[in-house]
Each structure stands twice: as structure tokens, then as C-alpha cells.
Amino acid sequence: MNEKNVFHLDDFFLETIKDPHLLKIQEKIQSGERLSREDGLMLLKTRDLHFLSYLAEGVKRARTGDKVYFVVNCHINPTNLCVLSCKFCSFYARKGDPRGYEMTVEEIFQKIDRVKERVKEIHIVGGHHPDWPFEVYVNLIRILRERYPAVNLKAYTAAEVDYFTRITRRSAKEVLIELKEAGLDTMPGGGAEVFSDRLHKLLFPGKASPERWLEVHRIAHSLGIRSNATLLFGHIETHEEIVEHLLKLRTLQDETGGFLCFVPLTFHPENNELSYIRSSSGVEDLKIVALSRLMLDNFPHIKSYWIQLGERTAQVALHYGADDLDGTIVEEKITHSAGAKTPVGLTCENLIRLIQKAGFLPVERDAYYNELVSYPQSSFSLSPSYLSGNDGFRPEFSQ
């Protein structure tokens, strides 16, 4: 039984639900009973978005009240050169491709220094570089730790760690220990894609397999390295594969308790081999967010990743169970390579505005969700430019 999910349901609302299967799911959630595979499939198939929102937001509020978190972070993608050619990826470039790039340490410093006074988290992911030895990746962590000693270094997906084991012929545990000793704090959740052997063979055969991804995170958690988890949806996956993915994450979280947050990632089809696929709809995006909150009863947080969902859908997703809007980011490259039309970064003021306008309390956090500053409505001064819809506004905060 998961008492954190229990909340009061309005009797009048329940009278409007006609589907007995949905009522059974409601009863399970109300009693703290874990949802099954069949329940997950039913939630994906329902057209009753009001029901999904009601349940998922209820669970979210039972856990974190009206708080929605954000972090001052900076994304670093050191290189897009990659030995892989995943069919859904628009970011990678082969060696010799004019689109390929390699960031210097000074370029990385310049990017981080734009927010260095407040930054709490540096998020590092990139391509599987054909020539860089493992020492390059370790040294980057070491240099960043020396320059930004108080900042959480969230670096390298499980797929990248698996690649490091291949080029070093060392175990994942050995690789992770060296990275941790250099200054690694946490790991991002990317590279999971969908835990499906069918899709692994079709879309990303050279990348870490689903079982390998889970194994790397299991080892990381055993070493005290907390991490996130993701799902890439909206391409050729099935409902069954989505639910199975969530169940495998839930099982590993039962075992380790090492996941901090789950991040649903919607597929963007431009500039890759799956460009014939239409983008997922806002309805589909919201369903996945709600399903995640309801199925992953042992995950403390669900992210509404504004970079991928778009600012407006990300706001609505806060009413579908998400309690985190990610962060400032500064400059995101991977999703924008696939055609994302969102800004490459947002200011803290933008994030606070988005959360407050959605009806929630913005709370600035660190990488572990320790609360740093909250921004109640009374501390947010609406300027005339804001009221007129000018996105260039600069709100003032009371002292």
C-alpha cells in the first residue's frame, strides 16, 4: 500500500464516471493499492482526460501539495560526434560531417559562467565520440569540480557509461567509481528510450540495451549516485511497451530507491530517419504524464519538461501529475536539433511566471529536491509589460 498516493475524491465527480474499469482504478488509487499492467493500458486507452487529470493531480497534491519545483541549471553537450546512428536522433554527426563540433573547456566555462552566481546543477550529455579516450570525460568532471565546487555535476547517461566500458574494457562499476572520485554527483536519465528488445533492434541497435541501462543505474545507485529516468514516446512504440517500460522502472526503484525523478520525453521527428512520423498531440503528451504519476508510485517526482512539451503544454501537465518544470537550461541542443520550437533556455522569472500562472507555488530546488526558495504570489510584482503579454518583462521580487 502506498499511503502517499491517497487523497480524497469528490463524490459529485465520481458520479460522472460511467466506466466501471476506471472506477476500479480510482478505488485502487484511493486505497493506496498499486496499479497493474492492465490498469496502465486502460488509462492509456481512456478518452476521459478529466478523469486522468483528477486522479494524477490528486496524487501529486497528496505528495507535494501545490508546490512545483524548478532548478537553476545549465545543459552542456560537449560534442555531437558519435559512433552511433540511432534512427530517432537528429543530434549526432559522423566524423568529418561539417555539422560536427567539439566544445573546448573555455567554451564550456563561458556557457556556465552566464549563470554561475546561481547555478545549482550542471547537466552534461553528448555523443559517443569516436576518438576521445575515457580520460577526456573524467578530466572534464574533475576540472568542473575544481572550478564550481558547490554545483551538482549531473553527467553521462547510462548509454554513455556503457560506451566507456567498451573503450576501456573495464566494468561499469569501475568506470562509475572513477567518475565519482573525479566529482560526479548524479546521473541524468537519458538513453533509456523504450525498454523493448524489438525497438532496440529496430531503432538503436548499437546503443546500450534496455537491460544494460537498468544494470548501469542499479550499479550507480549502489555507489550512492542518484539518477533520473526517462521514456522516449511518440514514435513507433506500442501502449504495451510504454507500460512495460514503467513497470521495469518501478521494479528497479523498489530495489534501489535511487531514482529522483521520471522524465517523459516526447519524440521530435525533424531531421532524422523517423521524420515521416507525426509529432505526438498534446492529448497524448498529457496522458503519458498522468500515467507516469499514477504507475510510478515509488518515484518522488515527475517532470514536465518544457523544452520538449512546449511552455503551454508543460503548464497544463502540472495538472496531470507533474511537480517539476526542470530549469533554466541556458542552451539546449539535442531536442532543438529535432525541430523543437521552444526557447533554448528560460530565465528564473519566466519559470516562476509559468508555474504561478498555472496556479501553483514555485519552489527553487537543488539537484536532490532540497527546497531553497519559494515564490508565493505576493512576492511576484506584475509589471505593465507583463500584463500586456510582453515576454521581455522583468518582474521585481519583494525583499
Side-chain angles (χ1 to χ4, degrees):
M1 179 174 176
N2 195 330
E3 294 182 355
K4 290 183 178 179
N5 286 349
V6 176
F7 64 98
H8 176 70
L9 283 164
D10 185 83
D11 291 337
F12 175 78
F13 178 80
L14 291 178
E15 290 176 2
T16 68
I17 302 173
K18 306 301 182 184
D19 189 328
H21 298 291
L22 296 183
L23 286 172
K24 186 174 292 186
I25 290 173
Q26 169 266 314
E27 291 169 1
K28 279 188 173 183
I29 293 172
Q30 180 62 27
S31 64
E33 184 179 346
R34 176 163 277 184
L35 299 186
S36 67
R37 177 179 286 100
E38 292 70 28
D39 295 330
L41 291 172
M42 179 61 62
L43 291 172
L44 277 177
K45 293 174 182 177
T46 186
R47 296 182 179 180
D48 194 339
L49 289 181
H50 294 295
F51 173 79
L52 278 177
S53 173
Y54 199 76
L55 287 185
E57 185 178 354
V59 170
K60 173 256 180 287
R61 288 187 179 276
R63 288 171 167 268
T64 57
D66 64 349
K67 298 173 182 176
V68 168
Y69 299 95
F70 72 95
V71 64
V72 180
N73 63 350
C74 180
H75 278 213
I76 301 295
N77 308 118
T79 182
N80 66 342
L81 293 176
C82 191
V83 298
L84 302 178
S85 53
C86 302
K87 292 185 178 180
F88 49 73
C89 183
S90 307
F91 175 67
Y92 82 91
R94 291 292 195 184
K95 189 175 180 179
D97 188 325
R99 296 185 303 108
Y101 73 88
E102 300 169 330
M103 293 181 73
T104 66
V105 171
E106 285 304 317
E107 288 173 332
I108 291 172
F109 286 166
Q110 289 172 11
K111 186 173 178 181
I112 298 170
D113 285 348
R114 291 162 62 182
V115 290
K116 69 177 181 180
E117 299 303 323
R118 291 189 63 184
V119 68
K120 300 299 187 295
E121 174 188 294
I122 300 173
H123 179 117
I124 308 169
V125 298
H128 296 17
H129 195 286
D131 299 323
W132 284 359
F134 178 50
E135 287 70 27
V136 170
Y137 298 92
V138 176
N139 287 337
L140 177 57
I141 297 298
R142 186 174 291 114
I143 291 168
L144 291 174
R145 172 55 64 227
E146 292 173 357
R147 187 176 176 95
Y148 309 101
V151 176
N152 184 284
L153 298 182
K154 178 191 289 184
Y156 308 136
T157 66
E160 288 171 280
V161 171
D162 177 65
Y163 180 60
F164 301 156
T165 69
R166 300 186 200 182
I167 62 178
T168 61
R169 298 188 178 183
R170 296 163 62 186
S171 69
K173 184 174 183 179
E174 291 172 323
V175 164
L176 286 167
I177 287 174
E178 185 164 351
L179 289 169
K180 184 177 180 181
E181 289 176 348
L184 177 73
D185 294 304
T186 56
M187 286 176 60
E193 320 314 354
V194 186
F195 296 150
S196 160
D197 291 335
R198 177 185 76 90
L199 293 178
H200 183 246
K201 292 175 183 177
L202 285 173
L203 302 181
F204 51 108
K207 205 170 193 176
S209 69
E211 289 307 314
R212 179 61 165 167
W213 189 98
L214 292 164
E215 178 188 10
V216 169
H217 280 264
R218 180 181 291 110
I219 295 168
H221 296 171
S222 74
L223 297 172
I225 301 171
R226 304 290 297 275
S227 66
N228 288 347
T230 61
L231 161 73
L232 181 66
F233 70 93
H235 45 91
I236 61 172
E237 82 285 354
T238 65
H239 283 177
E240 289 75 13
E241 287 167 333
I242 289 173
V243 173
E244 186 62 27
H245 183 99
L246 297 179
L247 291 175
K248 287 182 177 180
L249 286 175
R250 192 171 74 180
T251 297
L252 182 56
Q253 181 74 331
D254 279 343
E255 178 186 335
T256 70
F259 289 116
L260 290 162
C261 182
F262 176 72
V263 191
L265 302 174
T266 181
F267 170 67
H268 286 256
E270 291 186 21
N271 305 317
N272 58 58
E273 293 185 49
L274 300 182
S275 59
Y276 60 89
I277 295 175
R278 65 169 180 82
S279 299
S280 61
S281 68
V283 169
E284 292 167 315
D285 295 342
L286 294 172
K287 275 189 174 185
I288 296 295
V289 172
L291 176 72
S292 303
R293 180 62 287 165
L294 297 173
M295 293 293 292
L296 297 177
D297 53 38
N298 53 6
F299 271 65
H301 304 284
I302 303 295
K303 187 169 292 187
S304 177
Y305 191 33
W306 65 263
I307 278 283
Q308 292 210 326
L309 295 176
E311 294 165 75
R312 291 184 178 182
T313 301
Q315 279 183 298
V316 179
L318 300 178
H319 292 277
Y320 281 75
D323 69 337
D324 183 46
L325 208 59
D326 196 78
T328 51
I329 293 176
V330 179
E331 184 183 13
E332 195 278 343
K333 293 184 177 181
I334 296 176
T335 305
H336 284 84
S337 298
K341 301 299 188 287
T342 51
V344 295
L346 289 177
T347 65
C348 289
E349 291 86 356
N350 291 146
L351 291 165
I352 292 166
R353 177 199 65 176
L354 288 172
I355 294 168
Q356 289 186 336
K357 294 293 281 184
F360 294 94
L361 173 67
V363 178
E364 185 178 342
R365 63 171 176 84
D366 66 12
Y368 298 103
Y369 286 85
N370 295 310
E371 299 179 8
L372 304 177
V373 186
S374 63
Y375 298 91
Q377 293 282 353
S378 60
S379 70
F380 191 65
S381 176
L382 299 182
S383 67
S385 61
Y386 174 74
L387 293 173
S388 66
N390 181 0
D391 285 339
F393 80 103
R394 289 292 181 270
E396 297 178 358
F397 297 91
S398 61
Q399 300 299 316

